[in-house]
Amino acid sequence: MASPAAMSFFQAHRHGDSANNICCDTGSAEPQWASPSHGIYISIEAAGVHRSLGVNVSRVLSTEMDSWKPLQLRMMELGGNKKFAEFLQEHGVPDNMPIRLKYTTRAANWYRKKLLAMAEGSEPPEPLAPGTGHMPMSDAATGQQVLDEVFSSASLCNNPCTQCATAYRKHVRGRCLS
């Protein structure tokens, strides 16, 4: 269970910025989960996808059930849904990009590193090269991307997802969660 101090923090942080009252990824109201890696609030649906990315990309915690470390709360304080969304937009990452792709872009990776450095009071990373934020962290295809291509070409589904070329649709409010 989250400590009373953490519960108080989340209540105040959400009250201070209405963008934190909706999921950063799906737009669902009253998200009960968060990714301190990005300083954002997310829905249970988005949390499942974030967890599948691994803790090196997105650590996921419940705002009500999990214990929070001071560093994680500091990252949430420095972040916020609006700041993260604006940063991605500035770097050419589309708002409707599937979660799996969005959080593996160079912009999301740089943001994670900068947020952690700010929270720790250490040196921030070198600036992100202009025009590269929307690109994947690695030029090599990930295993998931390869599988997505294989399954989409196999036509396993009569109604494939047109946003991310996967064979399965998993959408919430018109946004792909793949």
Side-chain angles (χ1 to χ4, degrees), residues 15-146:
H15 181 71
D17 185 353
S18 62
N20 294 330
N21 289 318
I22 61 168
C23 173
C24 191
D25 294 322
T26 66
S28 298
E30 301 299 323
Q32 300 298 309
W33 294 84
S35 171
S37 306
H38 302 95
I40 59 170
Y41 294 90
I42 55 178
S43 65
I44 185 72
E45 296 88 1
V49 180
H50 277 257
R51 283 187 185 232
S52 75
L53 296 171
V55 295
N56 59 319
V57 173
S58 185
R59 180 170 299 278
V60 176
L61 296 169
S62 167
T63 59
E64 296 178 358
M65 297 181 287
D66 290 323
S67 295
W68 285 74
K69 295 178 182 175
L71 179 65
Q72 294 166 332
L73 289 172
R74 179 72 175 140
M75 291 173 76
M76 294 301 294
E77 180 182 11
L78 294 169
N81 290 5
K82 185 177 179 180
K83 286 180 186 176
F84 182 66
E86 287 174 351
F87 178 82
L88 292 182
Q89 186 177 27
E90 288 171 16
H91 289 278
V93 179
D95 181 49
N96 64 349
M97 182 181 267
I99 293 171
R100 189 173 308 286
L101 299 177
K102 182 189 301 184
Y103 291 89
T104 56
T105 61
R106 292 178 185 186
N109 184 52
W110 187 89
Y111 190 89
R112 281 190 294 277
K113 290 177 181 177
K114 182 176 183 205
L115 190 62
L116 179 60
M118 288 171 48
E120 291 176 332
S122 61
E123 280 293 311
E126 291 293 319
L128 188 61
T132 63
H134 67 284
M135 298 169 69
M137 285 189 296
S138 164
D139 291 330
T142 65
Q144 183 64 43
Q145 289 170 325
V146 170

